[in-house]
Amino acid sequence: MNILLVEDNESIALGLLYSLNQQNYQVTIKDSYLSAQSYLNENPKITLAIIDISLPDGDGFTLYQNLIHEKQIPTIFLTAKDSEDDIVKGLELGAEDYITKPFSTRELIARINRIIQKNTQHPKSSIVSIQNIHFDMDKMEVYRNQELLPLSRLELKILHLLFTNINRVTTREEIIEKIWEWTGNDVNDNTVTVYLKRIREKLQTNMIITIKGIGYRIDEVRK
């Protein structure tokens, strides 16, 4: 997942670079309109753009209108301005979101994750394939090669949660909260362990990675 960050404040840029790298995102930083323009012309494969509206040689709105909108790159505007007019303008141009400085890095990352999850799947296909496992996200069916796997309803939902967070750690706490939301039942850490063990046994792959003491992750297969 490649993120373009257009930000001329070095401390903000480096802070976001560190935090996003911790989330397994690859980040390219550009500090001006012209440098971002050059990068965009040479690198069409960008997952998401985070653009500061006030740049030393232009503005983020113009950069978005001239180069980013036509490439259909999901975009978050980042700015010190918090007037209603600026917020409305950014969203009316087609941006996914807008956040004002000072901001919480955790909040920005949550917004980034939400946007990327929403845009991860190819619009013409609801099937996500990792290794030899194919998850039809619309039908909620999981196949190993051509074989339909007999996952329970709750196992499907847990696996769906992991698939919608590909390349990102899903914490054990998130899974516990979701199980409570889905079933109304309080569960503990051991319950999560049991369910993940069952899911792995049915998948018969090593695709679910354990992040010790934190949670689980499925990584996209790089081509």
Side-chain angles (χ1 to χ4, degrees):
M1 299 292 183
N2 299 313
I3 294 177
L4 171 63
L5 172 61
V6 186
E7 169 60 68
D8 63 326
N9 184 309
E10 185 178 4
S11 62
I12 291 176
L14 292 178
L16 287 177
L17 174 65
Y18 174 79
S19 297
L20 290 168
N21 283 343
Q22 293 294 107
Q23 296 289 318
N24 297 308
Y25 291 129
Q26 296 178 345
V27 182
T28 298
I29 298 174
K30 298 298 175 183
D31 62 1
S32 68
Y33 183 106
L34 287 177
S35 62
Q37 180 183 49
S38 176
Y39 181 80
L40 283 162
N41 286 333
E42 297 172 1
N43 297 272
K45 294 184 179 180
I46 298 169
T47 307
L48 180 139
I50 304 170
I51 307 172
D52 188 1
I53 289 176
S54 300
L55 299 172
D57 57 347
D59 70 88
F61 288 144
T62 304
L63 178 66
Y64 179 82
Q65 286 178 293
N66 292 346
L67 289 164
I68 295 176
H69 182 66
E70 66 180 20
K71 296 178 183 291
Q72 298 184 326
I73 300 169
T75 298
I76 298 174
F77 282 124
L78 181 65
T79 179
K81 298 178 182 178
D82 59 357
S83 74
E84 184 177 339
D85 287 344
D86 283 326
I87 294 172
V88 170
K89 180 177 179 179
L91 297 177
E92 285 185 344
L93 286 175
E96 292 274 351
D97 212 339
Y98 189 110
I99 192 166
T100 58
K101 304 173 186 176
F103 57 87
S104 159
T105 301
R106 288 182 63 187
E107 180 185 357
L108 178 58
I109 289 174
R111 295 189 188 199
I112 290 168
N113 289 336
R114 176 184 59 80
I115 291 168
I116 289 179
Q117 288 166 25
K118 186 176 74 172
N119 290 279
T120 293
Q121 290 178 232
H122 193 283
K124 294 183 180 179
S125 175
S126 66
I127 298 176
V128 180
S129 298
I130 304 291
Q131 297 181 18
N132 65 335
I133 301 298
H134 312 289
F135 199 143
D136 189 322
M137 308 286 267
D138 286 345
K139 294 182 179 179
M140 289 294 283
E141 293 179 343
V142 179
Y143 294 82
R144 183 175 58 248
N145 298 320
Q146 304 300 317
E147 177 191 358
L148 178 63
L149 300 181
L151 276 72
S152 70
R153 185 175 178 180
L154 190 52
E155 289 166 353
L156 278 170
K157 288 186 174 184
I158 294 171
L159 188 59
H160 183 273
L161 180 63
L162 296 177
F163 264 80
T164 54
N165 287 280
I166 286 174
N167 298 321
R168 174 184 173 272
V169 175
T170 300
T171 67
R172 297 176 71 89
E173 289 76 14
E174 287 177 279
I175 297 172
I176 289 171
E177 287 176 7
K178 282 294 184 181
I179 292 175
W180 182 87
E181 179 183 316
W182 296 327
T183 67
N185 297 327
D186 288 324
V187 297
N188 57 34
D189 220 41
N190 290 335
T191 305
V192 174
T193 301
V194 170
Y195 272 109
L196 265 295
K197 182 175 183 290
R198 290 177 183 171
I199 292 169
R200 282 170 164 152
E201 287 174 349
K202 291 180 180 180
L203 295 179
Q204 295 181 19
T205 76
N206 60 353
M207 62 188 291
I208 300 176
I209 303 166
T210 299
I211 310 301
K212 190 173 181 180
I214 301 176
Y216 304 91
R217 191 182 77 232
I218 295 176
D219 285 344
E220 181 181 16
V221 177
R222 303 296 179 184
K223 295 182 180 179

